[in-house]
Amino acid sequence: MKDGVNGVALAVFLLFFLAVTVMGFLAARWRAAENANNLDEWGLGGRSFGTWITWFLLGGDLYTAYTFVAVPAAIYAAGASGFFAVPYTILVYPLIFTFLPRLWSVSHKHGYVTTSDFVRGRFGSKGLSLAVAVTGILATMPYIALQLVGIQAVLDVMGVGGGENTNWFIKDLPLLIAFGVLAAYTYSSGLRAPALIAFVKDTLIYIVIAVAIIYIPIKLGGFDDIFAKAGDALSQKNPTTKAPKGALASGEKQQWAYATLALGSALALFMYPHSITATLSSRSREVIRRNTTILPLYSLMLGLLALLGFMAIAAGVEVDNGQLAIPQLFENMFPDWFAGVAFAAIGIGALVPAAIMSIAAANLFTRNIYKDFLKPDATPEQETKISKLVSLMVKVGALIFVLTMDKTVAINFQLLGGIWILQTFPALVGGLFTRWFHRWALLAGWAVGMIYGTAVAYGVPSPTNPSQKHFGGPSDEIPGLGEIGYIGLTAFVLNVVVTVALTVILRAVKAPDGVDETSPSDYRADAGDPGVEVELPPATAGAPGGH
């Protein structure tokens, strides 16, 4: 790491940061409606985004600064096992092609803003809707925190904020400023801000990766040398575990863990509230279908990005915190001005998803906690005001999380978030295709999955840090198989088994069912179909199921 502040890189970084800040505030006037005081406008951008805006927004939403930093960092630390992120993003798009258009259609028909709105309308259960909402908020909070970790990693490498012995306020002041700007333009512009900034973010990332995948191997002697040096380094034994640090290719013992982690992550990705928020902002069912066919371009980008982990090893990058490996690689290998461009790509790559995540969490609280349980007669204006305030509180919570806790804790909680959010899959995706599941069975299955997943994850120690006894990784032994697999997927299987078994019992005893406010035609409706456009009276506009 270079001594002092990298002034050139910092200047370039600040230039891009200033540009996106201006764009964030100007976005309030972009496609602005006459009445912006409702969640359709502030929280979903007026449900008006076309194919390319949605593509950039979803890309900016799913491929975050944490992706940019953590995927190659995992490969830097352990080798090929970190590549699980590439196959899971390949698996996810055929999966979402089957259900996202149906979710868009029924949500557009009934004015649903969140997944919990749909669950409540489909199963007639506020309790199940509340469970989905709380899970979404809990899973999103550490995800937002990790975006701030990404910004902090870049600032650390540029030398901004001083060393570890610097006064905490001075050290964290740049992050506080970045947070304040993010909070301000998200409050002002809603989802339109990250949608507009996503164009800059994704363009920068594609440029940086295209340059890195050509320029860095030339400087390091080609991919043959990179893989040879990486293989040698990963074969060295960890002094703590006495086992090799990693491998260029996953061994037989890692195959179950690799495959189940990839599959479970694919099932979980579009359960996250921010993924659904970006999806529901599109203007038609066809926009969603097109995006599921062109989003795999980001998987190609992710595969190239992952190779940076091997390049960091070959370049001799030495960092105590693996999250700094790629920013440090950029500073070591690139001219200062282009290192600034790369840092800007990571920094802006944190701002876009953090904004969307905070909006999504705020919408869940407003529609499915505040309106359902605290103020059922809330007007659209009141809903929007509450959602704006909650979006600020969510970001403050994430900031406190980052500033007061060890970064490893944030990463562990994000892994736990993936386990949690996967437990909403039966209610959401199952509900999109069948009404057979009983609402009480779904709630019981969710509870079993949550409890099992949390308890097992709590008991997993870190394989590399003896002092870390809990939440040390995403995998553990699969009951009955004796293989190591993803905890979230095991919890999901238990969830489904309990849901199916209890549904059979509850149907047999004729337990009371909730009222389904949807109809079969709702799941195929498009924006131009007769009767689909929602005309809501002022007192109920934007309410779940209002039409």
Side-chain angles (χ1 to χ4, degrees):
M1 187 176 293
K2 297 177 182 178
D3 294 330
V5 176
N6 187 333
V8 174
L10 179 61
V12 174
F13 177 87
L14 291 176
L15 178 65
F16 280 104
F17 189 84
L18 179 61
V20 298
T21 298
V22 173
M23 291 175 67
F25 285 109
L26 291 178
R29 303 179 183 179
W30 179 44
R31 301 186 174 199
E34 289 184 10
N35 178 17
N37 288 322
N38 60 76
L39 287 187
D40 267 14
E41 290 299 327
W42 183 82
L44 292 179
R47 302 183 192 253
S48 62
F49 298 149
T51 300
W52 288 110
I53 296 175
T54 302
W55 185 69
F56 277 106
L57 183 61
L58 278 169
D61 188 15
L62 303 175
Y63 298 89
T64 67
Y66 182 61
T67 307
F68 208 135
V69 169
V71 170
I75 292 167
Y76 170 83
S81 60
F83 267 101
F84 83 92
V86 179
Y88 104 63
T89 61
I90 295 171
L91 287 171
V92 74
Y93 297 118
L95 176 69
I96 64 175
F97 185 86
T98 64
F99 74 84
L100 274 191
R102 294 177 68 85
L103 178 62
W104 184 92
S105 292
V106 70
S107 298
H108 191 84
K109 178 68 181 284
H110 290 276
Y112 298 147
V113 174
T114 67
T115 52
S116 292
D117 282 352
F118 164 71
V119 168
R120 180 192 174 194
R122 179 62 153 162
F123 295 102
S125 172
K126 283 187 178 181
L128 184 59
S129 170
L130 177 64
V132 172
V134 170
T135 305
I137 294 170
L138 286 175
T140 300
M141 287 292 291
Y143 220 151
I144 299 172
L146 287 181
Q147 306 316 309
L148 301 181
V149 169
I151 296 177
Q152 199 170 48
V154 167
L155 294 174
D156 284 349
V157 171
M158 286 192 294
V160 176
E164 290 298 323
N165 297 323
T166 306
N167 175 276
W168 73 267
F169 180 77
I170 298 299
K171 183 177 187 301
D172 294 319
L173 183 59
L175 185 63
L176 293 171
I177 294 171
F179 159 80
V181 171
L182 168 66
Y185 67 63
T186 303
Y187 185 94
S188 170
S189 304
L191 194 66
R192 286 178 171 83
L196 194 58
I197 295 170
F199 285 96
V200 177
K201 174 255 185 188
D202 289 356
T203 300
L204 284 177
I205 285 180
Y206 271 107
I207 291 172
V208 169
I209 292 177
V211 171
I213 207 70
I214 296 171
Y215 180 78
I216 295 177
I218 291 174
K219 292 197 69 175
L220 294 177
F223 278 102
D224 283 349
D225 284 352
I226 290 172
F227 288 128
K229 291 177 182 176
D232 290 341
L234 291 169
S235 66
Q236 301 298 314
K237 290 186 177 181
N238 186 308
T240 302
T241 64
K242 307 303 181 184
K245 295 179 180 178
L248 288 178
S250 294
E252 185 177 346
K253 292 182 179 179
Q254 287 76 45
Q255 289 177 1
W256 272 86
Y258 186 93
T260 54
L261 184 56
L263 177 58
S265 299
L267 294 175
L269 184 59
F270 273 83
M271 298 301 101
Y272 279 103
H274 56 277
S275 304
I276 299 301
T277 295
T279 299
L280 297 185
S281 69
S282 58
R283 68 181 176 212
S284 74
R285 175 187 175 96
E286 192 58 30
V287 166
I288 301 303
R289 293 166 66 90
R290 289 194 202 105
N291 265 272
T292 60
T293 63
I294 60 178
L295 275 169
L297 286 172
Y298 280 100
S299 297
L300 173 63
M301 178 269 290
L302 186 61
L304 298 176
L305 172 64
L307 293 176
L308 296 177
F310 291 134
M311 295 180 197
I313 297 174
V317 171
E318 295 286 345
V319 290
D320 294 330
N321 178 0
Q323 309 303 314
L324 299 177
I326 301 312
Q328 191 61 53
L329 174 69
F330 289 159
E331 183 173 59
N332 292 353
M333 303 302 293
F334 288 145
D336 287 347
W337 70 270
F338 195 77
V341 174
F343 295 153
I346 299 174
I348 297 169
L351 297 178
V352 171
I356 304 171
M357 290 170 189
S358 65
I359 290 169
N363 288 345
L364 280 170
F365 176 86
T366 300
R367 292 298 289 265
N368 308 115
I369 297 177
Y370 176 75
K371 187 174 178 65
D372 278 356
F373 294 96
L374 302 177
K375 191 173 178 58
D377 60 345
T379 65
E381 291 80 6
Q382 289 172 328
E383 284 184 2
T384 306
K385 181 179 179 180
I386 291 296
S387 205
K388 286 182 174 183
L389 291 174
V390 172
S391 75
L392 293 178
M393 292 172 60
V394 166
K395 286 191 276 290
V396 169
L399 184 66
I400 293 173
F401 195 90
V402 169
L403 296 181
T404 59
M405 291 189 178
D406 185 88
K407 304 304 178 291
T408 306
V409 176
I411 295 168
N412 292 339
F413 273 105
Q414 200 279 324
L415 293 172
L416 194 58
I419 294 171
W420 289 339
I421 203 66
L422 184 51
Q423 308 317 310
T424 65
F425 190 99
L428 176 59
V429 179
L432 287 169
F433 292 94
T434 179
R435 187 60 167 75
W436 181 76
F437 295 119
H438 196 280
R439 53 181 176 163
W440 296 348
L442 285 166
L443 190 57
W446 166 85
V448 168
M450 291 285 286
I451 293 170
Y452 173 85
T454 304
V456 174
Y458 179 81
V460 176
S462 170
T464 57
N465 183 1
S467 65
Q468 187 180 335
K469 304 296 184 182
H470 308 293
F471 302 120
S475 299
D476 197 42
E477 184 174 313
I478 304 172
L481 291 180
E483 301 284 354
I484 300 298
Y486 178 42
I487 298 167
L489 193 59
T490 306
F492 169 73
V493 171
L494 288 175
N495 181 346
V496 172
V497 169
V498 170
T499 298
V500 171
L502 281 181
T503 295
V504 171
I505 295 171
L506 291 168
R507 295 288 180 206
V509 301
K510 301 188 184 306
D513 219 346
V515 177
D516 180 7
E517 69 180 25
T518 71
S519 63
S521 62
D522 296 345
Y523 297 87
R524 299 185 299 274
D526 209 341
D529 296 344
V532 172
E533 299 302 332
V534 183
E535 295 291 342
L536 301 176
T540 59
H547 63 286

